[in-house]
Amino acid sequence: MPVSPAAQPEPARPSGPDLALVEALQRDPRAPWTRIAAAVGTDATTAARRWDRLQAAGLAWLTAYVTAPTTTVGYVDLACRPDALAGLTQELCGWPSVFSVERTTSRFSLFLSLAARDLDALDGLVTGRLGALPGVREVRFAVATRVYREGSGWLVNALAPEQRAVLDETAVQARLVVPQQWNDRDLRALVESLGEDGRRSYAELARDCRMSESVVRRTLARMLRNHELDFRCDLAHVPAGWPVIAGYRLDIAADDLDRAGTAIAQLPETRLSAAVVGEGNLVVSAWLREPAGCTCYETRLAAAAPGARVLDRAITLRMPKRMGRLLSPRGLGGAHQAIIPAR
């Protein structure tokens, strides 16, 4: 059973140059250090050393994961007895198919993000495993049908326009989506290795996966081209200055869902905008500077989606796991657990 990251001293906030480095890696996660350094105005050695320092402090990290065409994603709100909350949190942080865990102010104390091979596997995970856990009182379940934005599309916006122009624009353009089935032989070892550190070299990946370097290069190129795999440069939200995570469930007219979901995704605070089938039809999550920002953000939601009904709103009290990464109470990155879709 994975354990939470050990208690750590209060971290320093990432500096402006640190955030610029994070944005460069958000835009082009595996770009050569020479290109990253040119974008942030330093040399390659300094950029790599600064990144190593951020990783070691748990302030930022880069991971990889399989994407929606190869995975069915579900969002679960779980209500439980108060005395069972701590035990359930620890238990669920140990499940490879539960890639994110949040403790919230909602009557559903836990908000979970799940990955499964297909709908049948997702049903088995929710009704067969989650529903049977001691202390669970109620489960609210929704299946994602389209993701307008998730964490890999959120930017810290620390680079000037001329700095962004240095980076390879193809890195942030949409790729051709060709649905593929999860192939354990090709993908699992590679995803586990890249999940721990998305900038591992081809030589390191070849050693970890027991493949030749040429096979690793071809496999990774195909996975990126077909959008089977995505990269995400993430950071500790509390010391970085976004301590508040606000979550919403909206109900929007069907003929306006795509427009509204896209408009909400374009709000700079939005980390998740996903159409779902469940109670409501849009799940939204945003990173904010302070609790009072919830009112302002919700006003902007209303402007982006006129007529939408807010069915639920909550603030995340703690996020002990994000995209397979265990987090400290301050949001510092700890050990990584590979995301393995339930079968």
Side-chain angles (χ1 to χ4, degrees), residues 67-74 99 114-120 122 143-144 341-342:
T67 53
T70 59
T71 307
T72 300
V73 172
F99 58 85
L114 315 178
R117 180 183 59 185
D118 52 28
L119 289 173
D120 184 61
L122 194 59
V143 177

Side-chain angles (χ1 to χ4, degrees), residues 167-330:
L167 297 168
D168 185 359
E169 290 299 323
T170 62
V172 294
Q173 291 176 0
R175 304 182 185 97
L176 174 66
V177 175
V178 181
Q180 301 276 345
Q181 284 296 316
W182 174 274
N183 184 320
D184 285 291
R185 290 174 301 173
D186 289 346
L187 302 184
R188 181 162 180 166
L190 192 58
V191 170
E192 288 182 1
S193 186
L194 285 168
E196 179 64 31
D197 180 1
R199 286 192 63 86
R200 278 204 169 114
S201 69
Y202 291 111
E204 290 172 315
L205 293 172
R207 184 193 63 233
D208 290 349
C209 303
R210 298 182 180 181
M211 300 177 183
S212 70
E213 190 170 331
S214 61
V215 169
V216 167
R217 285 180 180 272
R218 287 198 305 270
T219 302
L220 185 54
R222 185 208 77 212
M223 293 168 72
L224 291 173
R225 182 176 63 251
N226 293 345
H227 205 56
E228 300 168 64
L229 185 75
D230 211 346
F231 288 90
R232 174 164 162 167
C233 184
D234 224 329
L235 75 168
H237 62 286
V238 177
W242 289 276
V244 178
I245 301 175
Y248 300 87
R249 279 184 181 267
L250 306 179
D251 191 53
I252 299 170
D255 61 357
D256 194 39
L257 178 59
D258 280 345
R259 186 210 59 78
T262 300
I264 290 170
Q266 292 170 350
L267 298 177
E269 302 91 344
T270 300
R271 290 271 298 188
L272 174 68
S273 175
V276 299
V277 175
E279 186 175 328
N281 55 6
L282 192 74
V283 172
V284 175
S285 180
W287 279 14
L288 306 173
R289 299 290 190 179
E290 57 185 357
C294 292
T295 301
C296 180
Y297 181 72
E298 194 166 329
T299 300
R300 298 177 71 191
L301 284 181
R309 291 190 304 125
V310 178
L311 303 181
D312 198 4
R313 57 175 65 81
I315 285 178
T316 295
L317 301 172
R318 184 181 170 192
M319 191 171 195
K321 188 178 187 183
R322 185 194 307 147
M323 290 307 297
R325 182 80 53 177
L326 296 176
L327 305 181
S328 77
R330 294 281 296 169

Side-chain angles (χ1 to χ4, degrees), residues 71-76 97 99 113-130 141-144 341-343:
T71 307
T72 300
V73 172
Y75 300 109
V76 168
S97 52
F99 58 85
S113 301
L114 315 178
R117 180 183 59 185
D118 52 28
L119 289 173
D120 184 61
L122 194 59
D123 176 66
L125 177 62
V126 174
T127 62
R129 295 187 63 193
L130 279 176
F141 182 29
V143 177
R343 288 181 164 273

